[in-house]
Each structure stands twice: as C-alpha cells, then as structure tokens.
Amino acid sequence: MMIAKTPLTAGSLTSGFTSKTTAIVVVVLFSLTLLASAANLWLSPDSPLYVSTYTITLLGKYLCYALLALAVDVVWGYCGVLSLGHAAFFALGGYGMGMYLMRQIGDRGVYGNPELPDFMVFLSWDSLPWYWLGMDQFWFAMVIALAVPGLLAFVFGWLAFRSRVTGVYLSIMTQALTYALMLAFFRNEMGFGGNNGLTDFKDILGFSLQSDTVRVALFAITALMLMLAYVLSHFIMSSRFGRVIVSIRDGEARARFMGYRTERFKVWLFVYSALLAAVAGALYVPQVGIINPGEFSPINSIEVVVWVALGGRGTLYGAIIGAVLVNYAKTRFTAIMPDGWLFALGALFVLVTVFLPKGIAGFIEQRVESLKKGASGSDRVQGSEGASA
C-alpha cells in the first residue's frame, strides 16, 4: 500500500535545489556559450578576444563531460547509487552517433565503397550487418543511440535493484559491465571497427564537420542540451518523485516499510541517468572525431566519480563545475607531464576528500550561509543599538 506522504529525513534536500541557483546556472551557461560563439564567428583571428575553433571544440568536449557528470550525480548524489559503469552508456551513445557518421562517408572513404565502411572492406565483409541497417538515417540512429543504453540500464537496473544489490557490490557489477563491453567492442568480428573504432567522419546532416560554423553549432547544441538536462533534473528532484528518491538514499528500509516499491524508483532514475550519459556520448563523437572501445574503460567511469566528488555531489551544478575544472586541469597537466596525470588525479581526490568533503559546491554554500548569518547578525546589532538609543 502506498502512503500518501513522502518520507523525508532531516537535511535531505540541499540548498542546490533553489530556483535561483538553477536560473544562475542557465544564465551563466547561456552567456558563456553566446560570448564564445560570437568571439569565434565575428571577431578576427588577430583580435585578443578571438576564440579559436580548437578552443570551441575543447569547450564542447568539456560540456559533454559535464553532462556525463550530471548523469552520475543524479544517481549517486541523490539516490546513493555509486555507478562505476556510466562510461558504458556514454560510449554506446557515442557509437550510435558514430555509426550514423560512418554511413555518411559513402564512397569518399579510402576504398571508395558506397555501402561498407573502410574497416569492413579491409576485413573482407560482403555486406552490412543487420544492426547497421537504417543507421544512415539521423532520426533512426539517434533513436538507437538512446534506446540501446536505456534498455541496457533498465535490464541491468531491474535485475540488480530487484535483487537488492547495493553498496560496493553494485559498484563492482557496474564496473564489470563496462569492462565486458570494452572487451567485446575490441573484437573485429563485432562489426564496430575493433580497437581502431569509428573515425574519419565527413558530414553531419549534410554539413561538413570541418566547418567553423558547424563546430560552433555543435558547441551551442551541447550547451543547450546541458541546460535542458540541468533544468529537467532540477524539476525531477524537486518533485515528489525526487523526494522519494532522496528518502531512499537516506533510509531505503524505512521507505520500503512505508509502502514504496523502492526498486522501481531506482530503476527509472537509473534509466534516466543512462539516457543523459548517452546524449553526452552522442554529442561528444562529432566534436572529437572518433569513438573507440577505450571509451568503455572503467578508469573513465572512475574519473567521472572524481569530477562529481570534487564539484560536490547532490547539487547538480557541482557536477558541472567539477567536470569542467578537472578536464581543464587534465588538458594543461598532460601537456606538461603526460604520464603523471593519474597520480595528480588521485592526489586531487584525496585532498578533496580530506579538506573539502562536500566539494566545491559545499564550500560555496557554506560561505554563502556564513555571509547571510553575518549580515543578519549585524542587522540585529544595529537594530538593538537603535532601540536602546
């Protein structure tokens, strides 16, 4: 029997769920996207304010990672489900887009085959596999890019949550899932390009991927999708469904005792999170220009967890901050010391855990709260002085 009231625990809803915070995030993202796009399209390369196409592509990649981090924060920060396998959903979405882009090459490939991608010609394939049929249509490819990760998340989540697998055991299972997919996609007979993956893309919807305008458009679309995902996630977590999700995180046994089918809530949230990750992967591929089995690597999923932890889990905007900052640092650090990045990332995670247990977002919220208390305290002092006078 379902109880009418939603069980809530003290302090379960964070201050990140304010309409003001959402508005600030949307305005900042929109403003930065508009300014960067205008600086690329309308300013001369000689201008000190000019933003290069390379930088636009790099920013687009960061925003794709931010969307992936948002997906992880939804299930980890608000439901307490630590997934170490979201790279699988990200990569599957990317492969869906990559298959479409490969079909657009046509006879412009190295071997000039209008139907078969170059790697299939090289491997002496006679015809397209059945799962490649229809992938030359953008709408169909996008449906597949979302449907496959969504269905995988539903099946995996239903089996895991129905069996009440939680904690570290669930994390290990998600990591095993993405590792198994990585091994499968490395095989040439799978028909996805083997270890080389899919690359050498030419067009998207008839527009050249080498065009500056297309690059800016992809960057702007990525920013738009990130804004929409943020607003939608905010709406979901502010709703009754979101309050139940938070109560499950804080006390699943209690929520189940009150009549909630907790596994159903967790499954649908897991599917929603997987769809966000798939969208991020689909947007990532045309901007980066390649998708290969390395994107399934479990280390990628672990990195996403570090992004969310650094930014502050359970805040949504913290995941975006963490993803952008860590990947910017990675770009800079790998240029100086490529082999030392993983050590730096590990040290960063330890430092954040020790000194910023609630991440950057938690630190910001603490500072804002202390400033508010200080302001209210000074107002009370001034009021008491006026009264005594």
Side-chain angles (χ1 to χ4, degrees):
M1 180 181 68
M2 183 67 75
I3 307 299
K5 288 188 176 182
T6 301
L8 290 175
T9 57
S12 60
L13 295 179
T14 67
S15 57
F17 278 148
T18 63
S19 299
K20 184 177 180 180
T21 303
T22 302
I24 291 174
V25 171
V26 171
V27 169
V28 169
L29 280 173
F30 179 80
S31 301
L32 293 178
T33 303
L34 184 62
L35 290 174
S37 301
N40 175 269
L41 295 175
W42 298 339
L43 295 181
S44 168
D46 298 330
S47 172
L49 299 178
Y50 175 73
V51 177
S52 67
T53 304
Y54 169 78
T55 303
I56 289 290
T57 302
L58 199 61
L59 291 175
K61 185 174 75 169
Y62 292 165
L63 294 185
C64 291
Y65 287 149
L67 183 54
L68 176 60
L70 185 69
V72 172
D73 192 30
V74 165
V75 293
W76 184 34
Y78 296 103
C79 195
V81 176
L82 177 56
S83 171
L84 297 179
H86 262 57
F89 308 126
F90 178 84
L92 287 172
Y95 266 97
M97 173 64 82
M99 292 168 72
Y100 163 77
L101 295 175
M102 288 297 290
R103 292 299 309 274
Q104 301 307 300
I105 296 176
D107 58 5
R108 291 174 292 174
V110 175
Y111 296 99
N113 192 303
E115 286 293 328
L116 299 180
D118 285 338
F119 72 89
M120 290 187 183
V121 177
F122 178 78
L123 295 173
S124 301
W125 288 51
D126 297 327
S127 60
L128 280 173
W130 63 268
Y131 45 86
W132 275 78
L133 299 178
M135 297 302 288
D136 56 335
Q137 301 295 320
F138 181 79
W139 68 270
F140 183 78
M142 292 305 97
V143 169
I144 296 299
L146 295 179
V148 172
L151 182 60
L152 177 63
F154 177 80
V155 173
F156 178 87
W158 176 254
L159 294 174
F161 299 136
R162 187 183 182 187
S163 303
R164 299 186 182 180
V165 180
T166 58
V168 65
Y169 303 104
L170 181 64
S171 300
I172 292 174
M173 287 176 62
T174 57
Q175 193 171 50
L177 172 67
T178 187
Y179 187 70
L181 287 171
M182 182 185 72
L183 294 180
F185 274 73
F186 265 120
R187 300 175 65 88
N188 286 329
E189 56 267 30
M190 282 288 290
F192 295 106
N195 60 331
N196 293 322
L198 308 178
T199 188
D200 194 29
F201 308 132
K202 309 293 186 184
D203 302 330
I204 181 170
L205 293 173
F207 299 99
S208 173
L209 286 172
Q210 306 306 318
S211 168
D212 290 352
T213 304
V214 173
R215 290 285 180 174
V216 172
L218 288 171
F219 165 64
I221 291 172
T222 304
L224 176 61
M225 293 304 300
L226 178 59
M227 287 184 276
L228 290 176
Y230 186 92
V231 172
L232 181 58
S233 299
H234 167 83
F235 173 77
I236 291 174
M237 293 305 165
S238 300
S239 67
R240 182 173 177 270
F241 178 90
R243 292 194 293 272
V244 175
I245 286 296
V246 174
S247 69
I248 291 173
R249 180 197 67 187
D250 294 341
E252 184 173 359
R254 181 183 175 188
R256 190 181 297 114
F257 177 77
M258 296 187 69
Y260 289 97
R261 298 290 297 272
T262 58
E263 67 276 5
R264 294 185 179 180
F265 286 90
K266 293 166 75 174
V267 166
W268 289 115
L269 186 69
F270 194 68
V271 171
Y272 169 73
S273 175
L275 291 176
L276 290 183
V279 171
L283 292 168
Y284 172 86
V285 170
Q287 298 182 81
V288 176
I290 188 173
I291 179 70
N292 58 43
E295 296 296 340
F296 285 100
S297 176
I299 191 65
N300 292 347
S301 295
I302 296 174
E303 278 197 36
V304 180
V305 171
V306 175
W307 305 343
V308 177
L310 173 65
R313 68 187 183 102
T315 59
L316 296 181
Y317 69 91
I320 298 175
I321 294 174
V324 174
L325 288 181
V326 173
N327 282 285
Y328 175 77
K330 181 178 182 179
T331 301
R332 293 297 183 183
F333 196 89
T334 51
I336 302 172
M337 192 184 301
D339 297 332
W341 166 245
L342 290 180
F343 296 100
L345 184 65
L348 180 64
F349 184 72
V350 172
L351 291 174
V352 169
T353 303
V354 174
F355 297 105
L356 291 175
K358 294 184 179 180
I360 296 174
F363 176 76
I364 293 174
E365 291 179 359
Q366 288 177 355
R367 293 297 300 169
V368 170
E369 194 66 27
S370 63
L371 290 175
K372 287 182 179 179
K373 289 182 180 179
S376 61
S378 62
D379 291 341
R380 284 196 297 270
V381 171
Q382 292 178 0
S384 61
E385 291 177 350
S388 61

